Amino acid sequence: MRNQQEIEEKKVEELEAEKQSKIIKEFKQFDVVTDNTNNHHYGTSSSNQSGGSSKIPTKKIMQEWKILQKNLPDSIFVRAYEGRIDLLRAVIIGAQGTPYHDGLFFFDIQFPSDYPNEPPKVYYHSFGFRLNPNLYANGWVCLSLLNTWTGKKIEKWNPSESTILQVLVSIQALVLNAKPYFNEPINGIMPNWSFWEKKSLAYNEETFLLSIKTMLAVLNRPPKHFEEFVAQHFHERAETILIACKAYIDGREKIGDQIRNGFSASSSISSGGGAAVSKKFQLSMDIMYPRLVRAFRKNGSTLENFVEPHKGDKNQTDDHHRHHHKSNKNQVVVNRRGDGIVKKAYNKMKKILKKIGNSV
């Protein structure tokens, strides 16, 4: 009787997960919205303020729309504005195998009046956090392709070839990468590679913490036109994110690695140590983990098998997660679905980047 009840409960949970996944899929990757742009970073400025003719390059912008409609990878979503075709808003899902996994990163974009002779303007919604050498707390995006960073000629904006799609794919693949510490050109140029690797691991710890803070900020203040997407994204990925947090806290996995390696509930229990994190990171996670649990519950996730640990409660939380592993195996299904989305995105990005030939 008990086994039958558990089977039925699992079926209900899987159906609910499928329903949530369907909502995400129904959120079009590219769409045009009709209401005002007052909340857009460039919404109060017109394209002619960037110099050149006051005429908006409508034909070229329409070409960009078509490229986005046909070629966006599964992990990037874009909204255009009917009344201001010179503006776009995009969200990038952090890829597996990076300290940005499962996070949502928003960018506001404006086509200048002399586009494509000049690159687009891009503003990052940082919520006050600098979680990457190329993404500043003030929203500045440092990228050769945007001519906001020095680079070789082939890396810079090319009016005859460069596109908005290229910009977004470059940010996801080349900026929000597995080892962002090395985005800073000076890092790693001297001998003693082990020294730089330690620095990179420490930077990933700080990056993941800032990514969590960004998740909380996005949940609290979702950018306009993405409110439902934000809610459903974190409803679907809440357990995966929390399981990853626990694996990092306990030193079972290096930050980002467990997502790339197909992490599941079973590996969170059976993995050995060897991926030790700093005491500073553990103390910070003592604060951030319960905040995540509360935020996800407020967002609609039940998370009955997740506790909000207090400092010194490590044994208690380990026991609780063992119980969670036995009674809630469907979280493996949740993670597998998330992995599939990002894998498809990366395969698509690889094809696009081969054509692009640019780098940060």
Side-chain angles (χ1 to χ4, degrees), residues 64 67-68 71-73 163-170 352 356:
E64 291 279 2
I67 292 172
L68 291 169
N71 299 289
L72 278 172
T163 65
I164 293 293
L165 175 64
Q166 181 182 347
V167 171
L168 294 173
V169 169
S170 295
I352 295 171
I356 292 171

Side-chain angles (χ1 to χ4, degrees), residues 119-122 141-149 155 157 167 171:
K121 294 181 178 181
V122 181
V141 179
C142 189
L143 191 68
S144 296
L145 186 57
L146 297 175
N147 293 348
T148 54
W149 176 251
E155 298 171 347
W157 182 262
V167 171
I171 290 173

Side-chain angles (χ1 to χ4, degrees), residues 192 274 287:
N192 193 355
I287 298 171

Side-chain angles (χ1 to χ4, degrees), residues 106-351:
F106 286 88
F107 299 84
D108 284 354
I109 301 166
Q110 182 181 37
F111 294 97
S113 60
D114 53 352
Y115 187 83
N117 293 323
E118 293 294 327
K121 294 181 178 181
V122 181
Y123 172 84
Y124 168 56
H125 286 260
S126 71
F127 298 94
F129 308 121
R130 189 180 181 187
L131 43 60
N132 188 284
N134 299 75
L135 303 176
Y136 287 66
N138 65 1
W140 179 261
V141 179
C142 189
L143 191 68
S144 296
L145 186 57
L146 297 175
N147 293 348
T148 54
W149 176 251
T150 57
K152 298 178 182 177
K153 186 175 180 180
I154 61 171
E155 298 171 347
K156 299 178 78 67
W157 182 262
N158 183 335
S160 62
E161 297 180 3
S162 302
T163 65
I164 293 293
L165 175 64
Q166 181 182 347
V167 171
L168 294 173
V169 169
S170 295
I171 290 173
Q172 182 175 46
L174 304 177
V175 174
L176 299 171
N177 60 41
K179 296 181 178 182
Y181 178 75
F182 296 110
N183 287 9
E184 192 69 57
I186 196 172
N187 293 338
I189 63 173
M190 301 295 287
N192 193 355
W193 186 249
S194 62
F195 168 81
W196 294 111
E197 279 293 329
K198 289 179 182 178
K199 287 281 190 179
S200 177
L201 290 173
Y203 190 88
N204 275 12
E205 290 182 2
E206 182 64 22
T207 296
F208 183 69
L209 287 166
L210 292 175
S211 183
I212 288 177
K213 291 181 179 180
T214 302
M215 290 181 193
L216 295 172
V218 168
L219 271 167
N220 188 46
R221 291 178 288 158
K224 187 73 172 175
H225 309 301
F226 288 87
E227 294 91 343
E228 184 178 4
F229 177 81
V230 167
Q232 293 300 329
H233 171 83
F234 286 116
H235 193 288
E236 180 176 308
R237 307 235 181 153
E239 290 192 1
T240 301
I241 294 168
L242 291 174
I243 292 170
C245 288
K246 194 64 177 66
Y248 298 152
I249 293 169
D250 295 343
R252 296 188 179 105
E253 300 286 351
K254 292 180 181 178
I255 292 173
D257 282 1
Q258 100 299 342
I259 300 296
R260 179 173 55 237
N261 295 334
F263 176 78
S264 66
S266 58
S267 65
S268 74
I269 301 304
S270 61
S271 296
V277 292
S278 69
K279 189 66 176 178
K280 178 182 176 181
F281 176 80
Q282 290 177 322
L283 291 173
S284 296
M285 286 301 295
D286 281 340
I287 298 171
M288 300 311 302
Y289 182 89
R291 287 183 183 176
L292 266 182
V293 174
R294 290 193 293 270
F296 289 154
R297 283 176 177 160
K298 184 178 180 180
N299 187 51
S301 299
T302 54
L303 303 177
E304 294 179 355
N305 296 302
F306 287 86
V307 295
E308 299 176 19
H310 298 286
K311 294 180 181 179
D313 288 349
K314 184 177 183 298
N315 293 333
Q316 178 182 343
T317 54
D318 281 347
D319 292 340
H320 204 95
H321 273 265
R322 291 189 185 96
H323 171 71
H324 174 69
H325 168 54
K326 294 178 182 178
S327 64
N328 198 18
K329 295 179 181 179
N330 70 299
Q331 60 197 18
V332 181
V333 177
V334 174
N335 187 67
R336 185 159 56 242
R337 184 172 60 254
D339 285 351
I341 291 173
V342 181
K343 284 179 181 177
K344 288 180 181 178
Y346 254 99
N347 289 334
K348 203 164 190 177
M349 281 192 292
K350 286 179 182 178
K351 293 179 181 178

Side-chain angles (χ1 to χ4, degrees), residues 39-40 77-79 81 88-90 107-108 125 223-224 226:
N39 57 13
H40 192 284
F77 296 78
V78 175
R79 290 294 175 266
Y81 298 85
L88 297 172
R89 173 165 287 170
F107 299 84
D108 284 354
H125 286 260
K224 187 73 172 175
F226 288 87

